């Protein structure tokens, strides 16, 4: 079910500031970045560094103050069918079953219910929830609910998958399992993945490149290429060295 | 019917059934009895105390007649057909008013909950209307609409409108904006988001309004029938009291209680069907 090539993102001179207590607070300053088709880019940064804002601009949920984003050459205005977002919370509709939730995106886009549910069945199975198709969200654990959210995003077969701290609310054990799941899905689906996280290990485990957003004014964003074979081994010495390198970037090591 | 009689009836399921369930039966049956008594025990005790106090002469049986006398009056009224006509006219008044309130309040509430400007503009006048007792306005409605059916239906409609309207508005406003944003990501138009997210999300709160409104409808029904009616359950309550037909008066009150219970149960069942996804409904 691989999508066709595409999903190349060009970010040029992107700036965004918010007003906080009457003062403008710049969170993104003239950011330039090219995200390659099919890569997994993970954005890290201290809180307030604008990583979630960047993702929301990519999603089309917020507009930039200046500069802009283009996908496969065409500028982004608002949300688009080639992008799907996975939020920190699963954001499931409690009155729909698992299958209904997974099919939601396609149905909203006008696909007939039966056809949408057929496709949804495939992705529900892909995230390992086939036997829970008829369950309601309140019956699911946090990890299972987030899998439903992931399946819903995959079902619309986006070129670009935007993930905003998708595993941030999960417990440590569930989180590791879900990271492996995301790595597997990314390799099978051939989708460009842009993910925000505050978990450096998660970043190294998943990323082709890690974008580190600066916290202080005038700092520059940095890219770290993670050249490790997949599937990655968290205990490997090179993995640990990447972790140390990222920690140094944050001035914590 | 004596106290012993009632107690015996309660324990019948424990001993009266067959033995086909085998050795587990007594244990299951006694558990069923415990469940039944823990739920209805106090109600049964209340009725039993009434019955005994009245027939033993501890209370004035002319004012609080024994339960069997009330049941007899109820049966005679229903079988003889006199109360049936009252029930029909009362149901028509309350039903018409309730249906009109539903038809007005739900669409208006959905609209007001969605469009902030409309809500801001209408909220003050709604608050004033809501806080003005419908009963206080009844004389006004009588002046405007006459003492016939129209003023009765209208006062019930008026009182029923507000709980439903306010609960519908709050149901719409309580819908999680994060769910709306999620729908937006998948390209939902405003109409689609309304149909797929706002409307189903507001249903539980709308049901709270429906149940409150049904109770209010019966309350106002009786009040309006006590003033200037010559038919209806509320009229019967007053009329039987004037004529000192106390068992008939209680029979009419029992019918009212029954209508309230049935209306509530019907709405609860409907809510269960529509809201299977939410946590169990009490």
């Amino acid at each position: 079910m691989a999508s066709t090539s595409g999903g190349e993102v060009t970010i040029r001179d992107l700036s965004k500031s918010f007003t906080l207590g009457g003062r403008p607070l710049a969170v993104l300053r003239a950011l330039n970045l090219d995200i390659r088709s099919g890569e997994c880019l993970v954005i890290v940064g201290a809180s307030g560094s604008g990583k979630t804002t960047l993702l929301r601009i990519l999603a089309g949920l917020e507009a930039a103050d200046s500069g802009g984003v283009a996908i496969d050459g065409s500028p982004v205005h608002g949300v688009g069918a080639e992008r799907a977002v996975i939020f920190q919370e699963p954001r499931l509709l409690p009155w729909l079953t698992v299958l209904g939730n997974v099919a939601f995106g396609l149905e909203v886009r006008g696909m007939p219910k039966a056809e949408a549910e057929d496709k949804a069945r495939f992705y529900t199975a892909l995230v390992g929830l086939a036997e829970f198709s008829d369950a309601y969200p309140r019956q699911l654990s946090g990890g299972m609910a987030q899998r439903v959210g992931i399946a819903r995003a995959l079902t619309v077969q986006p070129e670009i998958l935007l993930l905003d701290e998708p595993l941030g609310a999960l417990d440590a054990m569930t989180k590791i399992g879900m990271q492996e799941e995301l790595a597997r899905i990314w390799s099978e689906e051939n989708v460009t993945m842009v993910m925000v996280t505050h978990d450096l290990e998660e970043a190294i485990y998943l990323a082709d490149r890690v974008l580190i957003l600066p916290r202080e004014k005038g700092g520059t964003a940095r890219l770290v290429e993670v050249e490790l074979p997949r599937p990655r081994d968290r205990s490997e010495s090179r993995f640990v060295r990447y972790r140390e390198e990222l920690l140094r970037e944050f001035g914590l090591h | 019917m004596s106290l012993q009689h009632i107690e015996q009836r309660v324990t019948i399921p424990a001993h009266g059934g067959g033995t086909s369930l085998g050795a587990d039966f007594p244990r299951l049956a006694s558990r069923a009895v415990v469940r039944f008594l823990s739920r209805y025990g106090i109600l049964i005790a209340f009725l039993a105390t009434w019955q005994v106090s009245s027939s033993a002469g501890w209370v004035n049986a002319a004012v609080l007649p024994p339960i069997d006398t009330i049941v007899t009056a109820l049966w005679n009224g229903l079988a003889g057909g006199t109360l049936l006509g009252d029930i029909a006219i009362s149901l028509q008044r309350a039903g018409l008013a309730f249906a009109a309130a539903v038809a007005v309040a739900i669409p208006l509430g959905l609209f007001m909950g969605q469009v902030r400007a409309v809500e801001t503009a209408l909220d003050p006048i709604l608050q004033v209307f809501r806080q003005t007792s419908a009963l206080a306005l009844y004389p006004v409605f009588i002046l405007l609409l006459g003492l016939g059916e129209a003023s009765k239906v209208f006062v019930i409609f008026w009182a029923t409108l507000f709980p439903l309207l306010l609960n519908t508005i709050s149901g719409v406003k309580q819908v999680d904006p994060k769910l709306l944003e999620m729908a937006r990501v998948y390209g939902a138009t405003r109409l689609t988001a309304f149909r797929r997210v706002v409307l189903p999300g507001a249903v539980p709160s709308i049901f709270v309004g429906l149940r409150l409104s049904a109770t209010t409808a019966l309350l106002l029904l009786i009040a309006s029938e006590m003033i200037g009616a010559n038919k209806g359950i509320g009229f019967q309550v007053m009329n039987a009291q004037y004529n000192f037909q106390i068992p008939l008066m209680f029979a009419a009150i029992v019918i009212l209680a029954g209508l309230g219970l049935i209306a509530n149960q019907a709405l609860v069942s409907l809510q269960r069907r529509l809201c299977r996804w939410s946590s169990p409904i009490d």
Side-chain angles (χ1 to χ4, degrees), chain B:
Chain B
M1 221 198 287
S2 67
L3 181 59
Q4 267 179 344
H5 189 151
I6 291 170
E7 279 185 340
Q8 227 173 33
R9 271 188 41 195
V10 172
T11 50
I12 282 170
H15 309 294
T19 50
S20 54
L21 286 171
D24 277 345
F25 183 70
R27 197 167 48 82
L28 286 173
S30 71
R31 207 181 290 165
V33 169
V34 167
R35 238 198 342 259
F36 180 83
L37 279 181
S38 65
R39 182 151 171 77
Y40 296 109
I42 290 182
L43 177 64
I44 290 167
F46 169 74
L47 292 174
T49 311
W50 180 325
Q51 173 73 16
V52 169
S53 324
S54 182
S55 48
W58 302 339
V59 295
N60 186 350
V63 178
L64 292 174
I67 297 206
D68 56 325
T69 321
I70 296 171
V71 171
T72 309
L74 180 62
W75 174 251
N76 289 339
L78 291 174
T82 45
L83 285 176
L84 287 180
D86 292 312
I87 294 176
I89 189 82
S90 287
L91 280 181
Q92 188 189 317
R93 285 168 185 150
L96 217 66
F98 186 70
V102 169
V104 173
I106 293 182
L108 183 62
L110 291 174
F111 185 58
M112 285 178 68
Q114 285 268 291
V115 187
R116 186 171 290 274
V118 178
E119 207 222 341
T120 313
L122 284 180
D123 188 59
I125 194 167
L126 280 181
Q127 293 301 336
V128 170
F129 282 169
R130 182 171 77 111
Q131 299 300 337
T132 313
S133 159
L135 276 179
L137 292 173
Y138 188 37
V140 180
F141 298 149
I142 291 175
L143 284 176
L144 291 172
L145 300 167
L147 200 50
E149 290 304 299
S151 62
K152 287 183 182 51
V153 171
F154 193 80
V155 75
I156 302 169
F157 162 78
W158 183 265
T160 315
L161 185 68
F162 294 102
L164 190 49
L165 182 60
L166 294 170
N167 276 289
T168 306
I169 293 172
S170 87
V172 171
K173 289 172 79 176
Q174 272 166 18
V175 170
D176 189 351
K178 287 181 169 174
L179 291 181
L180 288 170
E181 188 180 74
M182 180 280 293
R184 186 149 73 92
V185 163
Y186 291 102
T189 59
R190 224 184 138 138
L191 183 68
T192 308
F194 175 77
R195 208 168 50 81
R196 299 293 313 257
V197 181
V198 175
L199 198 55
V203 164
S205 182
I206 291 176
F207 265 99
V208 172
L210 284 173
R211 285 167 68 182
L212 277 171
S213 286
T215 310
T216 313
L218 288 175
L219 202 74
L220 267 287
L221 169 75
I222 299 321
S224 70
E225 285 182 344
M226 284 179 171
I227 306 167
N230 53 19
K231 223 167 169 21
I233 306 292
F235 162 77
Q236 272 310 340
V237 174
M238 284 308 271
N239 195 49
Q241 194 239 345
Y242 285 139
N243 298 328
F244 220 68
Q245 298 169 292
I246 303 305
L248 181 63
M249 182 188 84
F250 276 107
I253 293 174
V254 168
I255 289 174
L256 276 174
L259 288 181
L261 286 172
I262 290 168
N264 190 59
Q265 197 51 48
L267 286 170
V268 168
S269 316
L270 185 63
Q271 187 176 10
R272 284 224 177 91
R273 282 181 60 92
L274 287 175
C275 304
R276 259 172 301 188
W277 51 272
S278 73
S279 40
I281 297 146
D282 53 83

Side-chain angles (χ1 to χ4, degrees), chain A residues 76-105:
Chain A
V76 162
H77 301 289
V79 300
E82 75 289 347
R83 281 161 287 155
V85 184
I86 295 167
F87 299 96
Q88 178 167 6
E89 324 80 21
R91 301 199 186 183
L92 304 182
L93 298 172
W95 50 87
L96 296 181
T97 60
V98 165
L99 193 68
N101 269 290
V102 176
F104 180 79

